[in-house]
Coordinates of all heavy atoms in Angstrom, one line a residue:
M1 N 3.6 -27.3 -15.6 CA 4.0 -26.0 -15.0 C 4.6 -25.2 -16.1 O 5.5 -25.7 -16.9 CB 4.9 -26.2 -13.8 CG 5.2 -24.8 -13.2 SD 6.1 -25.1 -11.6 CE 7.7 -24.5 -12.1
S2 N 4.3 -23.9 -16.2 CA 5.0 -23.1 -17.2 C 5.6 -21.9 -16.5 O 5.3 -21.5 -15.5 CB 3.9 -22.6 -18.3 OG 3.0 -21.7 -17.6
L3 N 6.6 -21.4 -17.2 CA 7.4 -20.3 -16.7 C 7.0 -19.1 -17.5 O 7.0 -19.2 -18.8 CB 8.9 -20.6 -16.7 CG 9.8 -19.5 -16.2 CD1 9.6 -19.3 -14.8 CD2 11.2 -19.9 -16.5
S4 N 6.7 -18.0 -16.9 CA 6.4 -16.8 -17.7 C 7.3 -15.6 -17.2 O 7.6 -15.5 -16.0 CB 4.9 -16.4 -17.6 OG 4.6 -16.2 -16.3
L5 N 7.6 -14.8 -18.1 CA 8.5 -13.6 -17.8 C 7.5 -12.5 -17.3 O 6.5 -12.2 -18.0 CB 9.3 -13.2 -19.0 CG 10.1 -12.0 -18.8 CD1 11.3 -12.3 -17.9 CD2 10.7 -11.6 -20.2
V6 N 7.9 -11.9 -16.2 CA 7.1 -10.7 -15.7 C 7.8 -9.5 -16.0 O 9.0 -9.3 -15.6 CB 6.8 -10.9 -14.2 CG1 6.1 -9.7 -13.7 CG2 6.1 -12.1 -13.9
V7 N 7.2 -8.6 -16.8 CA 7.9 -7.3 -17.1 C 7.8 -6.4 -15.9 O 6.7 -6.2 -15.4 CB 7.2 -6.7 -18.3 CG1 7.8 -5.4 -18.7 CG2 7.2 -7.6 -19.5
P8 N 8.9 -5.8 -15.5 CA 8.8 -4.9 -14.3 C 7.9 -3.7 -14.6 O 7.8 -3.2 -15.8 CB 10.3 -4.4 -14.2 CG 11.1 -5.3 -15.0 CD 10.2 -5.9 -16.0
T9 N 7.1 -3.4 -13.7 CA 6.2 -2.3 -13.8 C 6.9 -0.9 -13.6 O 7.7 -0.8 -12.7 CB 5.1 -2.4 -12.7 OG1 4.4 -3.6 -12.9 CG2 4.1 -1.3 -12.8
D10 N 6.7 0.0 -14.4 CA 7.2 1.3 -14.3 C 6.4 2.1 -13.2 O 5.2 2.2 -13.4 CB 7.1 2.1 -15.6 CG 7.5 3.5 -15.5 OD1 8.4 3.8 -14.6 OD2 7.2 4.3 -16.4
L11 N 7.1 2.4 -12.2 CA 6.4 3.1 -11.0 C 6.6 4.6 -11.0 O 6.4 5.2 -10.0 CB 6.8 2.4 -9.7 CG 6.4 1.0 -9.5 CD1 7.0 0.4 -8.3 CD2 4.9 0.9 -9.5
S12 N 7.0 5.2 -12.1 CA 7.2 6.6 -12.1 C 5.9 7.3 -12.4 O 5.0 6.8 -13.1 CB 8.2 7.0 -13.2 OG 7.8 6.6 -14.4
G13 N 5.7 8.5 -11.7 CA 4.6 9.3 -12.0 C 3.2 8.6 -11.7 O 3.1 8.0 -10.7
H14 N 2.3 8.7 -12.7 CA 1.0 8.2 -12.5 C 0.9 6.7 -12.3 O 0.1 6.2 -11.6 CB 0.1 8.7 -13.6 CG -0.2 10.1 -13.7 ND1 -0.9 10.7 -12.7 CD2 0.2 11.1 -14.5 CE1 -1.0 12.0 -13.0 NE2 -0.3 12.3 -14.1
S15 N 1.8 6.0 -12.9 CA 1.8 4.5 -12.8 C 2.1 4.2 -11.3 O 1.5 3.2 -10.8 CB 2.9 3.9 -13.7 OG 2.6 4.1 -15.0
G16 N 3.0 4.9 -10.7 CA 3.3 4.6 -9.3 C 2.1 5.0 -8.4 O 1.8 4.2 -7.5
A17 N 1.5 6.1 -8.7 CA 0.3 6.5 -7.9 C -0.8 5.5 -8.1 O -1.5 5.2 -7.1 CB -0.1 7.9 -8.4
D18 N -1.0 5.0 -9.3 CA -2.0 4.0 -9.5 C -1.7 2.7 -8.8 O -2.6 2.0 -8.2 CB -2.1 3.7 -11.0 CG -2.7 4.8 -11.8 OD1 -3.3 5.7 -11.2 OD2 -2.6 4.8 -13.0
A19 N -0.4 2.3 -8.7 CA -0.1 1.1 -8.0 C -0.3 1.2 -6.5 O -0.8 0.3 -5.9 CB 1.4 0.8 -8.2
L20 N 0.0 2.4 -5.9 CA -0.3 2.6 -4.5 C -1.8 2.6 -4.2 O -2.3 2.1 -3.3 CB 0.3 4.0 -4.1 CG 1.8 4.1 -3.9 CD1 2.2 5.5 -3.5 CD2 2.3 3.0 -2.9
L21 N -2.6 3.2 -5.2 CA -4.0 3.3 -5.0 C -4.6 1.9 -5.0 O -5.4 1.5 -4.2 CB -4.7 4.1 -6.1 CG -6.2 4.1 -6.1 CD1 -6.7 4.8 -4.8 CD2 -6.7 4.9 -7.3
Q22 N -4.1 1.0 -5.9 CA -4.6 -0.4 -6.0 C -4.3 -1.1 -4.7 O -5.1 -1.8 -4.1 CB -4.0 -1.1 -7.2 CG -4.5 -2.5 -7.3 CD -6.0 -2.5 -7.6 OE1 -6.5 -1.9 -8.6 NE2 -6.8 -3.2 -6.8
L23 N -3.0 -0.9 -4.2 CA -2.7 -1.6 -2.9 C -3.5 -1.1 -1.8 O -4.0 -1.9 -0.9 CB -1.2 -1.4 -2.6 CG -0.2 -2.3 -3.3 CD1 1.2 -1.7 -3.2 CD2 -0.3 -3.7 -2.8
K24 N -3.8 0.2 -1.7 CA -4.6 0.7 -0.6 C -6.0 0.1 -0.7 O -6.6 -0.2 0.3 CB -4.7 2.2 -0.8 CG -3.4 2.9 -0.3 CD -3.4 4.4 -0.5 CE -4.6 5.1 -0.9 NZ -4.4 6.6 -1.1
Q25 N -6.6 0.0 -1.9 CA -7.9 -0.5 -2.1 C -7.9 -2.0 -1.7 O -8.9 -2.5 -1.0 CB -8.4 -0.4 -3.5 CG -8.7 1.1 -3.9 CD -9.0 1.3 -5.3 OE1 -8.7 0.4 -6.2 NE2 -9.5 2.4 -5.7
D26 N -6.9 -2.8 -2.1 CA -6.8 -4.2 -1.7 C -6.7 -4.4 -0.2 O -7.3 -5.3 0.3 CB -5.6 -4.8 -2.4 CG -5.8 -4.9 -3.9 OD1 -6.9 -4.7 -4.4 OD2 -4.8 -5.2 -4.7
M27 N -5.9 -3.5 0.4 CA -5.7 -3.6 1.9 C -7.0 -3.3 2.6 O -7.4 -4.0 3.5 CB -4.6 -2.7 2.4 CG -3.2 -3.1 2.0 SD -2.0 -1.9 2.6 CE -1.7 -2.5 4.2
A28 N -7.7 -2.3 2.1 CA -9.0 -1.9 2.8 C -10.0 -3.1 2.6 O -10.7 -3.4 3.5 CB -9.6 -0.6 2.1
A29 N -10.0 -3.7 1.4 CA -11.0 -4.8 1.2 C -10.6 -6.0 2.1 O -11.5 -6.6 2.6 CB -10.9 -5.2 -0.3
A30 N -9.4 -6.3 2.2 CA -8.9 -7.4 3.0 C -9.3 -7.2 4.5 O -9.7 -8.1 5.1 CB -7.4 -7.7 2.8
L31 N -9.1 -6.0 4.9 CA -9.4 -5.6 6.3 C -10.9 -5.7 6.5 O -11.3 -6.3 7.5 CB -8.9 -4.3 6.7 CG -9.1 -3.8 8.1 CD1 -8.4 -4.8 9.1 CD2 -8.5 -2.4 8.3
A32 N -11.7 -5.2 5.6 CA -13.1 -5.3 5.7 C -13.6 -6.8 5.8 O -14.6 -7.1 6.4 CB -13.8 -4.6 4.5
E33 N -12.9 -7.6 5.1 CA -13.2 -9.1 5.1 C -12.6 -9.8 6.3 O -12.9 -11.0 6.5 CB -12.8 -9.7 3.8 CG -13.4 -9.2 2.6 CD -12.8 -9.7 1.3 OE1 -11.8 -10.5 1.4 OE2 -13.2 -9.2 0.2
G34 N -11.8 -9.1 7.1 CA -11.2 -9.7 8.2 C -10.1 -10.7 7.8 O -9.7 -11.5 8.6
D35 N -9.6 -10.5 6.6 CA -8.5 -11.3 6.2 C -7.1 -10.7 6.6 O -6.5 -10.1 5.7 CB -8.6 -11.5 4.6 CG -7.6 -12.5 4.1 OD1 -6.7 -13.0 4.8 OD2 -7.8 -12.9 2.9
F36 N -6.7 -11.0 7.8 CA -5.5 -10.3 8.3 C -4.2 -10.8 7.8 O -3.2 -10.1 7.7 CB -5.5 -10.4 9.9 CG -6.7 -9.7 10.5 CD1 -7.8 -10.4 11.0 CD2 -6.8 -8.3 10.4 CE1 -8.9 -9.8 11.5 CE2 -7.9 -7.7 10.9 CZ -9.0 -8.4 11.5
D37 N -4.3 -12.1 7.3 CA -3.1 -12.6 6.6 C -2.8 -11.9 5.3 O -1.7 -11.6 5.0 CB -3.2 -14.2 6.4 CG -3.2 -15.0 7.6 OD1 -2.5 -14.6 8.5 OD2 -3.8 -16.0 7.6
R38 N -3.9 -11.6 4.6 CA -3.8 -10.8 3.4 C -3.4 -9.4 3.6 O -2.6 -8.9 2.9 CB -5.2 -10.9 2.6 CG -5.2 -10.1 1.3 CD -4.6 -10.9 0.2 NE -4.7 -10.2 -1.1 CZ -3.7 -10.1 -1.9 NH1 -2.6 -10.6 -1.7 NH2 -3.9 -9.4 -3.0
V39 N -3.9 -8.8 4.7 CA -3.5 -7.4 5.0 C -2.0 -7.4 5.3 O -1.2 -6.6 4.8 CB -4.2 -6.9 6.3 CG1 -3.6 -5.6 6.8 CG2 -5.7 -6.7 6.0
R40 N -1.5 -8.4 6.0 CA -0.1 -8.6 6.3 C 0.8 -8.7 5.0 O 1.8 -8.1 4.8 CB 0.2 -9.7 7.3 CG 1.5 -9.8 7.9 CD 1.7 -10.9 8.9 NE 0.7 -10.8 10.0 CZ -0.4 -11.6 10.1 NH1 -0.6 -12.6 9.3 NH2 -1.2 -11.4 11.1
Q41 N 0.3 -9.6 4.2 CA 1.0 -9.8 2.9 C 1.0 -8.5 2.1 O 2.0 -8.1 1.5 CB 0.2 -10.9 2.1 CG 0.8 -11.2 0.7 CD 0.0 -12.1 -0.1 OE1 -1.3 -12.0 0.0 NE2 0.6 -13.0 -0.8
L42 N -0.1 -7.8 2.0 CA -0.2 -6.6 1.2 C 0.7 -5.5 1.9 O 1.3 -4.6 1.2 CB -1.6 -6.1 1.1 CG -2.5 -6.9 0.2 CD1 -4.0 -6.6 0.4 CD2 -2.1 -6.7 -1.3
D43 N 0.8 -5.5 3.2 CA 1.7 -4.5 3.9 C 3.2 -4.8 3.4 O 3.9 -3.8 3.2 CB 1.5 -4.7 5.4 CG 2.5 -3.8 6.2 OD1 2.5 -2.6 5.9 OD2 3.2 -4.3 7.0
Q44 N 3.6 -6.0 3.4 CA 4.9 -6.3 2.9 C 5.1 -5.9 1.4 O 6.1 -5.3 1.0 CB 5.2 -7.8 3.1 CG 5.3 -8.2 4.5 CD 5.3 -9.7 4.7 OE1 5.2 -10.5 3.8 NE2 5.6 -10.1 5.9
T45 N 4.1 -6.1 0.6 CA 4.1 -5.7 -0.8 C 4.2 -4.2 -0.9 O 5.0 -3.6 -1.7 CB 2.9 -6.2 -1.5 OG1 2.8 -7.6 -1.5 CG2 2.9 -5.8 -3.0
F46 N 3.4 -3.5 0.0 CA 3.5 -2.1 0.0 C 4.9 -1.5 0.3 O 5.3 -0.6 -0.4 CB 2.5 -1.6 1.2 CG 1.8 -0.3 0.9 CD1 0.4 -0.4 0.6 CD2 2.4 0.9 0.9 CE1 -0.3 0.8 0.3 CE2 1.7 2.0 0.7 CZ 0.4 2.0 0.4
A47 N 5.6 -2.1 1.2 CA 7.0 -1.7 1.5 C 7.8 -1.9 0.3 O 8.6 -0.9 0.0 CB 7.5 -2.5 2.7
C48 N 7.7 -3.0 -0.4 CA 8.5 -3.2 -1.6 C 8.2 -2.2 -2.7 O 9.1 -1.6 -3.4 CB 8.3 -4.6 -2.2 SG 9.0 -5.9 -1.1
V49 N 6.9 -1.9 -2.9 CA 6.5 -1.0 -3.9 C 7.0 0.4 -3.6 O 7.4 1.2 -4.5 CB 4.9 -1.0 -4.1 CG1 4.4 0.1 -5.0 CG2 4.5 -2.3 -4.7
L50 N 6.9 0.8 -2.3 CA 7.4 2.1 -1.9 C 8.9 2.3 -2.2 O 9.3 3.3 -2.6 CB 7.1 2.3 -0.4 CG 5.8 2.9 -0.1 CD1 5.6 3.0 1.4 CD2 5.5 4.2 -0.8
D51 N 9.7 1.2 -2.0 CA 11.1 1.3 -2.3 C 11.3 1.5 -3.8 O 12.1 2.4 -4.2 CB 11.8 0.0 -1.9 CG 12.0 -0.1 -0.4 OD1 11.9 0.9 0.4 OD2 12.2 -1.3 0.1
K52 N 10.6 0.7 -4.6 CA 10.8 0.9 -6.0 C 10.2 2.2 -6.5 O 10.8 2.8 -7.4 CB 10.1 -0.3 -6.7 CG 10.8 -1.6 -6.5 CD 10.1 -2.8 -7.1 CE 10.6 -4.1 -6.7 NZ 11.9 -4.4 -7.2
L53 N 9.1 2.7 -6.0 CA 8.5 3.9 -6.3 C 9.5 5.1 -6.0 O 9.6 6.0 -6.8 CB 7.2 4.1 -5.6 CG 6.4 5.4 -5.9 CD1 5.1 5.0 -6.4 CD2 6.3 6.3 -4.7
S54 N 10.1 5.0 -4.9 CA 11.1 6.0 -4.5 C 12.3 6.1 -5.4 O 12.7 7.2 -5.8 CB 11.6 5.7 -3.0 OG 10.6 5.8 -2.1
L55 N 12.7 4.9 -5.9 CA 13.8 4.9 -6.9 C 13.4 5.5 -8.2 O 14.1 6.3 -8.8 CB 14.4 3.5 -7.0 CG 15.2 3.0 -5.9 CD1 15.5 1.5 -6.1 CD2 16.5 3.8 -5.8
A56 N 12.2 5.1 -8.7 CA 11.7 5.5 -9.9 C 11.4 7.0 -10.0 O 11.4 7.6 -11.1 CB 10.4 4.7 -10.3
N57 N 11.1 7.6 -8.8 CA 10.7 9.0 -8.8 C 11.7 9.8 -8.0 O 11.4 10.9 -7.5 CB 9.3 9.1 -8.2 CG 8.3 8.5 -9.0 OD1 7.9 9.0 -10.0 ND2 7.9 7.2 -8.7
R58 N 12.9 9.4 -7.9 CA 14.0 10.0 -7.1 C 14.2 11.5 -7.5 O 14.6 12.3 -6.7 CB 15.2 9.2 -7.0 CG 16.0 9.1 -8.3 CD 17.2 8.3 -8.1 NE 17.7 7.9 -9.4 CZ 17.4 6.7 -10.0 NH1 16.6 5.9 -9.5 NH2 17.9 6.5 -11.2
D59 N 13.9 11.8 -8.7 CA 14.1 13.2 -9.2 C 12.9 14.1 -9.1 O 12.9 15.2 -9.5 CB 14.6 13.2 -10.7 CG 16.0 12.5 -10.8 OD1 16.8 12.6 -9.8 OD2 16.2 11.9 -11.8
N60 N 11.8 13.5 -8.7 CA 10.6 14.2 -8.6 C 10.1 14.3 -7.1 O 9.3 13.6 -6.6 CB 9.5 13.5 -9.4 CG 8.2 14.3 -9.5 OD1 8.0 15.3 -8.8 ND2 7.3 13.9 -10.4
R61 N 10.7 15.2 -6.4 CA 10.5 15.3 -5.0 C 9.1 15.7 -4.6 O 8.6 15.2 -3.6 CB 11.5 16.3 -4.3 CG 12.9 15.9 -4.4 CD 13.9 16.9 -3.8 NE 15.2 16.5 -4.0 CZ 16.0 16.1 -3.1 NH1 15.6 16.0 -1.9 NH2 17.3 15.7 -3.4
T62 N 8.4 16.5 -5.4 CA 7.0 16.8 -5.1 C 6.1 15.6 -5.2 O 5.4 15.4 -4.3 CB 6.6 17.9 -6.1 OG1 7.4 19.0 -6.1 CG2 5.1 18.3 -5.9
F63 N 6.4 14.8 -6.2 CA 5.6 13.5 -6.3 C 5.9 12.6 -5.1 O 4.9 12.1 -4.5 CB 5.9 12.8 -7.6 CG 5.3 11.4 -7.7 CD1 4.0 11.3 -8.1 CD2 6.0 10.3 -7.3 CE1 3.3 10.1 -8.1 CE2 5.3 9.0 -7.3 CZ 4.1 8.9 -7.8
L64 N 7.1 12.5 -4.7 CA 7.5 11.6 -3.6 C 6.9 12.1 -2.3 O 6.4 11.4 -1.5 CB 9.0 11.5 -3.4 CG 9.7 10.6 -4.4 CD1 11.2 10.7 -4.2 CD2 9.2 9.2 -4.3
L65 N 6.9 13.5 -2.1 CA 6.4 14.0 -0.9 C 4.9 13.7 -0.8 O 4.4 13.3 0.2 CB 6.6 15.5 -0.8 CG 6.0 16.3 0.4 CD1 6.5 15.7 1.7 CD2 6.2 17.8 0.3
N66 N 4.2 14.0 -1.9 CA 2.7 13.7 -2.0 C 2.4 12.3 -1.8 O 1.4 11.9 -1.0 CB 2.1 14.2 -3.2 CG 2.1 15.7 -3.3 OD1 2.0 16.4 -2.3 ND2 2.1 16.3 -4.5
A67 N 3.2 11.4 -2.4 CA 3.0 9.9 -2.2 C 3.2 9.5 -0.8 O 2.4 8.7 -0.2 CB 3.9 9.1 -3.2
L68 N 4.2 10.0 -0.2 CA 4.5 9.6 1.3 C 3.4 10.2 2.2 O 3.1 9.5 3.2 CB 5.9 10.1 1.7 CG 7.0 9.3 1.0 CD1 8.4 9.9 1.3 CD2 7.0 7.8 1.3
L69 N 3.0 11.4 1.9 CA 1.9 11.9 2.8 C 0.7 11.1 2.6 O -0.1 10.8 3.6 CB 1.6 13.4 2.4 CG 2.7 14.4 2.8 CD1 2.5 15.8 2.2 CD2 2.8 14.5 4.4
D70 N 0.4 10.7 1.4 CA -0.8 9.8 1.2 C -0.7 8.5 1.9 O -1.6 8.0 2.5 CB -1.0 9.6 -0.3 CG -2.2 8.8 -0.7 OD1 -3.3 9.2 -0.2 OD2 -2.1 7.8 -1.4
V71 N 0.5 7.9 1.8 CA 0.8 6.6 2.6 C 0.6 6.8 4.0 O 0.0 6.0 4.7 CB 2.2 6.1 2.2 CG1 2.6 4.9 3.1 CG2 2.2 5.6 0.7
K72 N 1.1 7.9 4.5 CA 1.0 8.2 6.0 C -0.4 8.3 6.4 O -0.9 7.7 7.4 CB 1.7 9.5 6.3 CG 1.6 9.9 7.7 CD 2.2 11.3 8.0 CE 2.0 11.8 9.3 NZ 2.4 13.1 9.5
Q73 N -1.3 9.0 5.6 CA -2.7 9.1 5.9 C -3.4 7.7 5.8 O -4.2 7.3 6.6 CB -3.3 10.0 4.9 CG -4.8 10.2 5.1 CD -5.4 11.2 4.1 OE1 -4.8 11.5 3.0 NE2 -6.6 11.7 4.4
H74 N -2.9 6.9 4.8 CA -3.5 5.6 4.6 C -3.3 4.7 5.8 O -4.2 4.1 6.3 CB -3.0 4.9 3.3 CG -3.2 3.5 3.2 ND1 -4.5 3.0 3.0 CD2 -2.4 2.4 3.4 CE1 -4.5 1.6 3.0 NE2 -3.2 1.2 3.2
Y75 N -2.0 4.7 6.3 CA -1.7 3.8 7.4 C -2.4 4.4 8.7 O -2.8 3.5 9.5 CB -0.2 3.7 7.6 CG 0.3 2.5 6.8 CD1 0.7 2.7 5.4 CD2 0.3 1.2 7.3 CE1 1.1 1.6 4.7 CE2 0.7 0.1 6.6 CZ 1.1 0.4 5.2 OH 1.5 -0.7 4.5
A76 N -2.5 5.6 8.8 CA -3.2 6.2 10.0 C -4.7 5.7 10.0 O -5.2 5.2 11.0 CB -3.2 7.7 10.0
Q77 N -5.3 5.7 8.8 CA -6.7 5.2 8.7 C -6.7 3.7 8.9 O -7.6 3.2 9.6 CB -7.2 5.6 7.3 CG -8.6 5.1 7.1 CD -9.1 5.5 5.6 OE1 -8.4 6.3 5.0 NE2 -10.2 4.9 5.3
L78 N -5.8 3.0 8.4 CA -5.7 1.5 8.6 C -5.6 1.2 10.1 O -6.3 0.3 10.5 CB -4.5 1.0 7.8 CG -4.4 -0.5 7.7 CD1 -5.5 -1.2 6.9 CD2 -3.0 -0.9 7.1
L79 N -4.7 1.9 10.8 CA -4.6 1.6 12.2 C -5.8 1.9 13.0 O -6.2 1.2 13.9 CB -3.4 2.4 12.7 CG -2.0 1.9 12.3 CD1 -0.9 2.9 12.8 CD2 -1.7 0.6 12.9
R80 N -6.5 3.0 12.6 CA -7.8 3.3 13.3 C -8.8 2.2 13.0 O -9.5 1.8 14.0 CB -8.4 4.6 12.8 CG -7.7 5.9 13.3 CD -8.4 7.2 13.0 NE -8.6 7.4 11.6 CZ -7.7 8.0 10.8 NH1 -6.6 8.5 11.4 NH2 -7.9 8.2 9.5
E81 N -8.8 1.7 11.9 CA -9.8 0.6 11.6 C -9.4 -0.7 12.3 O -10.2 -1.4 12.8 CB -9.8 0.3 10.0 CG -10.8 -0.8 9.6 CD -12.2 -0.5 10.0 OE1 -12.6 0.7 10.2 OE2 -13.0 -1.4 9.9
C82 N -8.1 -1.0 12.4 CA -7.6 -2.1 13.2 C -8.0 -2.0 14.6 O -8.5 -3.0 15.2 CB -6.1 -2.3 13.0 SG -5.6 -2.9 11.4
E83 N -7.9 -0.8 15.2 CA -8.3 -0.6 16.6 C -9.8 -0.8 16.7 O -10.2 -1.4 17.7 CB -7.9 0.8 17.0 CG -6.4 1.1 17.2 CD -6.0 2.5 17.4 OE1 -6.9 3.4 17.4 OE2 -4.9 2.7 17.7
R84 N -10.6 -0.3 15.8 CA -12.0 -0.5 15.8 C -12.4 -2.0 15.8 O -13.2 -2.5 16.6 CB -12.7 0.2 14.7 CG -14.2 0.2 14.8 CD -14.9 0.6 13.5 NE -14.7 -0.3 12.4 CZ -15.3 -1.5 12.3 NH1 -16.1 -1.9 13.2 NH2 -15.1 -2.3 11.3
V85 N -11.7 -2.7 14.9 CA -12.0 -4.1 14.8 C -11.6 -4.9 16.1 O -12.3 -5.7 16.6 CB -11.3 -4.7 13.6 CG1 -11.3 -6.3 13.6 CG2 -11.9 -4.2 12.3
A86 N -10.4 -4.5 16.6 CA -9.9 -5.1 17.9 C -10.9 -4.9 19.0 O -11.2 -5.8 19.8 CB -8.6 -4.6 18.2
R87 N -11.4 -3.6 19.1 CA -12.4 -3.3 20.1 C -13.7 -4.1 20.0 O -14.3 -4.6 21.0 CB -12.7 -1.8 20.2 CG -11.8 -1.0 21.0 CD -12.1 0.4 21.2 NE -11.3 1.2 20.3 CZ -11.8 1.9 19.3 NH1 -13.1 1.9 19.0 NH2 -10.9 2.6 18.5
A88 N -14.1 -4.3 18.8 CA -15.3 -5.0 18.5 C -15.2 -6.4 18.9 O -16.1 -7.1 19.4 CB -15.7 -4.9 17.0
H89 N -14.0 -7.0 18.6 CA -13.8 -8.4 19.0 C -13.6 -8.6 20.5 O -13.9 -9.7 21.0 CB -12.6 -9.0 18.3 CG -12.8 -9.2 16.8 ND1 -13.9 -9.9 16.3 CD2 -12.0 -8.9 15.8 CE1 -13.8 -9.9 15.0 NE2 -12.7 -9.4 14.7
A90 N -13.2 -7.6 21.2 CA -13.0 -7.6 22.7 C -14.3 -7.6 23.4 O -14.3 -8.1 24.5 CB -12.1 -6.5 23.1
V91 N -15.3 -7.1 22.8 CA -16.7 -7.0 23.5 C -17.4 -8.3 23.4 O -17.3 -9.1 22.7 CB -17.5 -5.9 22.9 CG1 -18.9 -5.8 23.5 CG2 -16.8 -4.6 23.0

C-alpha cells in the first residue's frame, strides 16, 4: 500500500464551475444506470464541494449566485428524473 498526497483543488471561478459540471454529469450517469448508491455518494460529495466552492468564491457574489441557481436547477431536474424512475418501477 502506498500513500499519496492529494493537492487541494482550487474551486475558484472556472475551476469551481468545472467541478460542479463534472459532478452533475456523474450524477446523471449514475442515475441513468440506476446506481442509486453512487447517486447518494455523489450527492454527499456535491455538498462538500459546494461548501468549498462557497469559501473559494466568497468575494464573487455573481459567480456564487449563478452557481447556486445552476445547482437548484440541477436538483430540480434530478428529482424529476427520480420521480419518473420511481413511477416506472411502480408499474
Side-chain angles (χ1 to χ4, degrees):
M1 182 170 110
S2 66
L3 180 65
S4 61
L5 179 65
V6 177
V7 178
T9 302
D10 176 24
L11 293 175
S12 59
H14 290 295
S15 296
D18 290 345
L20 288 179
L21 177 62
Q22 184 63 55
L23 279 169
K24 288 175 8 183
Q25 290 172 342
D26 291 348
M27 286 178 88
L31 184 60
E33 295 170 4
D35 189 347
F36 299 107
D37 289 332
R38 180 76 175 139
V39 172
R40 192 174 304 108
Q41 177 190 38
L42 289 166
D43 178 53
Q44 292 170 350
T45 301
F46 215 107
C48 293
V49 169
L50 276 178
D51 286 343
K52 293 177 188 289
L53 182 124
S54 295
L55 286 173
N57 294 282
R58 64 183 167 267
D59 296 329
N60 189 345
R61 292 179 188 253
T62 301
F63 174 82
L64 284 176
L65 177 62
N66 289 332
L68 291 175
L69 289 171
D70 183 53
V71 168
K72 179 183 169 187
Q73 181 181 17
H74 168 70
Y75 272 91
Q77 181 180 348
L78 186 68
L79 288 171
R80 284 190 301 272
E81 182 62 17
C82 286
E83 288 172 353
R84 186 193 68 73
V85 169
R87 273 188 258 114
H89 286 315
V91 174

